[in-house]
Amino acid sequence: MSHDAVLIIDFGSQVTQLIARRVRETGVYCEIHPYQKSEEAFARLKPKAVILSGGPDSVTREGSPRAPHSVFEAGIPILAICYGQQTTAVQLGGVVEGGHAAEFGRADIEIREASALFEGLWEVGQRYPVWMSHGDRVTQLPKGFVVKATSENAPFAIATDEARRIYTTMFHPEVVHTPDGGKLLANFVHRIAGLKSDWTMGAYRAEMIAKIRAQVGQGRVICGLSGGVDSSVAAVLIHEAIGDQLTCVYVDHGLMRKGESEQVVSLFRGHYNIPLVHVDASALFLDALEGVSDPETKRKTIGKLFIEVFEKEAAKIGGAEFLAQGTLYPDVIESVSFSGGPSVTIKSHHNVGGLPERMNMKLVEPLRELFKDEVRALGRELGLPDAFVGRHPFPGPGLAIRVPGAITREKLDILREADAIYLEEIRKAGLYDVIWQAFAVLLPVRTVGVMGDGRTYDHVCALRAVTSVDGMTADFYPFDMNFLGRAATRIINEVKGINRVVYDVTSKPPGTIEWE
């Protein structure tokens, strides 16, 4: 693929992925690479601009991470964020010190001088909210740098060398808590670096189809279809490229939401006419999970069984030399992360099982350069129904994690009914697309209740709904009491086995990665 590109050098920040998301949202292609491998990536990618991320280390520590000097010598635009600002300062002759007042969370910066970085956004003499996360601070700028903005605890909140097109910020423009951060990043890639907005899903679709055909040739491909958005989009894209050379295997583990298995089979066999092997292995999975209460043990049990069933079905098909996976770009980043090494996993709904080496299959991963929102856009480009592409994320191995404690068939049936009613009420209220994720949980608690003239001793159902822009941070959705009353009343009246409903108002603060 020939796109203008931005290289993001990762120093270990928990929100580095958000930088890439914001850049991609401007229509510009970018890649993230850890600082240890950034020299090689810089030479291969030949980027038109570079962004240095934040990170948890201190540049004052001997042996702390640094950017390749070749980046500063290349004469291309550089944006350095937080730790990136600090290492830029040190590497170019400035000074960074610890021991000063830290700055974490919301802060206001005051614009002191104009800059191309915030041209058309911020005015000199005005104050604007940003998000800070630093302990150390720059105390002496390198030669050629000028202060453009300050905050209470960051005298160089923005410092730039406009002649060399090096722009540094102590705050994080990539997070939603910096309201104008996305526009600032757009200024950097468009106004300063002059990059084109040529990263579109229409172009990606055409390029990837050609790439799949070149890779596979006349070979056969097996896809482990999970019913989720990722593997579904991958399957439809691959089928468009090579037709019936693709066979999908859907392992039904009995842990899907109400009606999902029927929807998957109908969509792929009926609508797309894609060769599909539907394996009903629910009895096998549920028998193996009987009495298992630890969530990690559940995951590993499900992952192990999934691999065994999938491998058995793949052997029956025979002749396939390629395995299709719905690997996304965050999976790729995490597999070569700041602290980890390469890993290969079957990208299934479970995402907990390793690919056995004995299968000896080559991987086809047509989504490995995309974020989740880009996968949804590609799905719409391919004609997948919006109701399918726009479904809420469904993390964890199916409903196994939505039933804390031991799993039984009865509990799963109760949860399916409650979850279906809850989502139906959300759709009726016109809130499904407003909420990022919503689901019901069957708590490992039973309570005494009175219904009519009788006493009950039944389960407690918890409802969860969160809003999020990017999945990195989340907050509970503020339902009004009328909605909660309707949903709870329906669940208690219509689902035998539940006599109490609670609403979970847990939030996911900045800095946490997983929502679980």
Side-chain angles (χ1 to χ4, degrees):
M1 291 182 284
S2 56
H3 298 279
D4 286 345
V6 174
L7 170 63
I8 300 169
I9 298 178
D10 182 17
F11 291 108
S13 168
Q14 294 188 66
V15 291
T16 298
Q17 288 189 26
L18 294 185
I19 303 173
R21 291 284 301 277
R22 302 294 171 257
V23 172
R24 296 267 185 103
E25 286 166 5
T26 71
V28 173
Y29 180 70
C30 63
E31 291 184 10
I32 298 173
H33 292 275
Y35 76 94
Q36 307 98 315
K37 300 182 179 181
S38 56
E39 186 97 55
E40 175 189 346
F42 185 70
R44 175 186 59 79
L45 194 59
K46 296 180 174 57
K48 299 289 183 67
V50 171
I51 299 177
L52 309 182
S53 85
D57 214 325
S58 170
V59 295
T60 63
R61 183 186 67 80
E62 185 177 352
S64 56
R66 294 290 183 266
H69 280 287
S70 56
V71 169
F72 298 110
E73 296 166 355
I76 61 175
I78 296 170
L79 174 62
I81 298 169
C82 197
Y83 184 93
Q85 182 194 63
Q86 295 171 4
T87 192
T88 297
V90 169
Q91 291 184 245
L92 297 181
V95 178
V96 172
E97 296 177 354
H100 297 275
E103 203 170 26
F104 293 96
R106 190 172 299 281
D108 288 329
I109 60 170
E110 182 178 346
I111 305 300
R112 296 297 181 88
E113 291 190 14
S115 170
L117 186 63
F118 47 79
E119 183 180 346
L121 294 177
W122 296 338
E123 297 180 2
V124 175
Q126 299 299 309
R127 300 174 68 84
Y128 300 93
V130 298
W131 191 263
M132 295 282 191
S133 182
H134 68 94
D136 298 343
R137 68 163 67 161
V138 178
T139 55
Q140 181 180 324
L141 289 171
K143 184 179 180 180
F145 279 77
V146 175
V147 178
K148 300 293 183 177
T150 62
S151 73
E152 183 177 356
N153 291 309
F156 306 133
I158 300 178
T160 70
D161 182 336
E162 308 269 339
R164 286 193 285 177
R165 295 190 295 170
I166 302 176
Y167 302 82
T168 73
T169 71
M170 195 67 258
F171 60 88
H172 287 267
E174 68 272 28
V175 300
V176 296
H177 305 81
T178 298
D180 294 325
K183 295 176 183 177
L184 186 145
L185 286 165
N187 259 7
F188 175 72
V189 297
H190 291 313
R191 288 177 182 262
I192 294 171
L195 305 187
K196 302 188 295 290
S197 295
D198 62 355
W199 177 250
T200 67
M201 286 305 100
Y204 186 86
R205 173 186 183 179
E207 292 165 350
M208 191 50 62
I209 286 173
K211 186 175 179 179
I212 293 167
R213 287 171 178 165
Q215 179 187 5
V216 173
Q218 299 301 311
R220 296 189 63 190
V221 181
I222 293 179
C223 176
L225 192 64
S226 70
V229 173
D230 304 340
S231 64
S232 298
V233 172
V236 173
L237 180 62
I238 294 169
H239 185 256
E240 184 167 308
I242 61 172
D244 288 352
Q245 291 170 244
L246 169 71
T247 299
C248 291
V249 176
Y250 173 51
V251 179
D252 185 350
H253 45 47
L255 298 167
M256 299 297 279
R257 288 174 288 201
K258 185 177 180 180
E260 279 192 321
S261 290
E262 293 82 0
Q263 182 185 28
V264 170
V265 173
S266 173
L267 180 68
F268 284 86
R269 280 185 180 163
H271 186 76
Y272 284 101
N273 198 29
I274 296 176
L276 173 67
V277 177
H278 178 201
V279 186
D280 184 357
S282 55
L284 176 68
F285 279 81
L286 297 181
D287 287 346
L289 290 168
E290 185 175 355
V292 178
S293 59
D294 178 69
E296 273 309 303
T297 305
K298 288 180 184 178
R299 294 179 195 275
K300 290 175 182 177
T301 301
I302 294 167
K304 179 176 179 293
L305 285 177
F306 179 87
I307 296 298
E308 290 175 358
V309 174
F310 181 85
E311 187 177 13
K312 181 179 178 181
E313 294 302 320
K316 289 180 184 177
I317 295 169
E321 52 187 304
F322 295 94
L323 174 69
Q325 294 185 180
T327 307
L328 303 190
Y329 193 47
D331 303 322
V332 176
I333 297 167
E334 288 161 13
S335 72
V336 289
S337 66
F338 190 79
S339 58
S343 65
V344 180
T345 58
I346 281 190
K347 180 64 179 178
S348 70
H349 187 72
H350 329 296
N351 200 24
V352 290
L355 175 63
E357 291 184 7
R358 62 181 176 272
M359 289 186 73
N360 193 30
M361 300 177 79
K362 302 169 189 173
L363 295 180
V364 180
E365 300 174 305
L367 310 182
R368 64 179 286 114
E369 291 161 0
L370 303 182
F371 286 101
K372 188 77 171 188
D373 55 331
E374 293 173 319
V375 173
R376 295 188 192 280
L378 179 59
R380 294 184 180 98
E381 174 75 24
L382 290 164
L384 275 160
D386 195 65
F388 189 89
V389 175
R391 284 193 309 181
H392 290 175
F394 191 35
L399 295 177
I401 307 303
R402 306 295 166 236
V403 181
I407 295 173
T408 66
R409 288 167 174 79
E410 179 191 18
K411 287 181 181 179
L412 289 171
D413 289 340
I414 291 171
L415 179 58
R416 283 192 187 95
E417 294 300 323
D419 188 71
I421 291 170
Y422 180 39
L423 294 179
E424 181 182 330
E425 287 297 320
I426 288 175
R427 288 190 173 94
K428 284 167 62 176
L431 297 175
Y432 190 83
D433 294 332
V434 176
I435 294 168
W436 183 71
Q437 183 187 62
F439 53 84
V441 177
L442 195 68
L443 299 180
V445 177
R446 299 184 76 179
T447 64
V448 174
V450 175
M451 298 179 69
D453 296 323
R455 179 171 289 184
T456 63
Y457 182 58
D458 284 323
H459 296 280
V460 178
C461 175
L463 306 180
R464 177 176 287 176
V466 296
T467 58
S468 180
V469 174
D470 43 50
M472 299 294 287
T473 61
D475 202 357
F476 67 90
Y477 184 78
F479 287 122
D480 63 50
M481 292 305 297
N482 288 331
F483 172 87
L484 291 175
R486 285 195 307 273
T489 299
R490 279 198 62 193
I491 290 171
I492 291 170
N493 286 340
E494 298 177 32
V495 182
K496 186 177 180 181
I498 294 176
N499 69 358
R500 195 175 303 275
V501 176
V502 298
Y503 183 53
D504 181 356
V505 294
T506 305
S507 296
K508 175 186 171 189
T512 57
I513 299 301
E514 296 298 330
W515 178 261
E516 189 60 70

